Amino acid sequence: MSVPASIRREIKERLWAEADRLNWSALSAADKSRYYSMWTETETVGGKLGQYMDPRKVRVYIKDTLLKSYTREASASPARAFRVLGLDEDVVVSTTFIKPHGCLLVDGRQIAWSKASDWKATLMALHERAFMEGQPYAAVLTEAAAKFALASQRAVVESAAERLLIKRLIWLD
């Protein structure tokens, strides 16, 4: 027996809202594991899912089916990058990219965003994409406080962005 689509959707929305509240991508693996266990044991999540599957498989279902795509989809949205860059959310995008996430605006500006720890790939992707089309406008680097809290730690990244002619570099903690 499989989980009905309406139940799956309801539980997924509940868990994703909770993941938003918890800043899921910033949690350690141990913390995430604790939440998987907690949700497995609650009546509103694990109890409902246990009606449609072997209760021993509920935790894996929560992790691999309901939450696996959360981080990928949450980070794919340009809304946060647009907001910190002062762009309207309805700005026209001509092309979107993944690995790292980014977009080419119709006016030729290339934008990319990722975790700060992935800065090299992000800046080089901007350079490569702009080499093909447009200009390297902005990189938005998130979760920067962990590894790049000090100006001295950010200096090498800022120097690389400047040399690659990236007009704006935004750090988000």
Side-chain angles (χ1 to χ4, degrees):
M1 178 183 259
S2 65
V3 179
S6 62
I7 299 293
R8 184 174 51 249
R9 186 174 43 257
E10 172 193 331
I11 294 173
K12 181 179 177 180
E13 288 173 3
R14 178 186 313 233
L15 294 178
W16 281 34
E18 185 71 2
D20 285 342
R21 188 186 69 74
L22 295 168
N23 192 13
W24 189 254
S25 63
L27 292 179
S28 68
D31 287 338
K32 288 178 181 178
S33 180
R34 192 168 36 87
Y35 280 104
Y36 293 139
S37 295
M38 183 182 71
W39 292 327
T40 298
E41 296 168 9
T42 64
E43 188 57 38
T44 57
V45 177
K48 275 189 178 178
L49 292 172
Q51 296 173 14
Y52 303 99
M53 65 178 60
D54 183 335
R56 294 172 295 184
K57 295 182 178 182
V58 168
R59 186 182 189 284
V60 172
Y61 183 83
I62 291 169
K63 180 179 180 282
D64 292 346
T65 303
L66 300 177
L67 279 169
K68 188 173 188 173
S69 61
Y70 171 80
T71 303
R72 182 177 49 244
E73 288 185 32
S75 65
S77 170
R80 186 176 188 196
F82 286 1
R83 187 173 55 255
V84 299
L85 291 167
L87 301 172
D88 290 331
E89 273 196 51
D90 60 351
V91 67
V92 181
V93 172
S94 64
T95 308
T96 59
F97 304 99
I98 58 170
K99 294 186 180 180
H101 294 292
C103 60
L104 171 64
L105 304 180
V106 293
D107 63 8
R109 292 181 289 177
Q110 288 277 4
I111 299 169
W113 58 92
S114 70
K115 291 182 180 179
S117 59
D118 296 328
W119 70 269
K120 291 176 189 172
T122 304
L123 298 188
M124 287 309 297
L126 261 176
H127 175 69
E128 182 179 9
R129 293 167 185 169
F131 187 81
M132 301 301 289
E133 182 179 4
Q135 59 184 336
Y137 178 65
V140 177
L141 301 176
T142 63
E143 300 176 31
K147 209 172 165 185
F148 299 94
L150 304 174
S152 60
Q153 295 167 319
R154 295 179 180 195
V156 69
V157 180
E158 292 168 353
S159 174
E162 186 177 320
R163 290 173 188 232
L164 292 170
L165 305 177
I166 297 169
K167 292 186 181 7
R168 297 188 65 192
L169 178 62
I170 305 291
W171 296 96
L172 298 177
D173 296 326

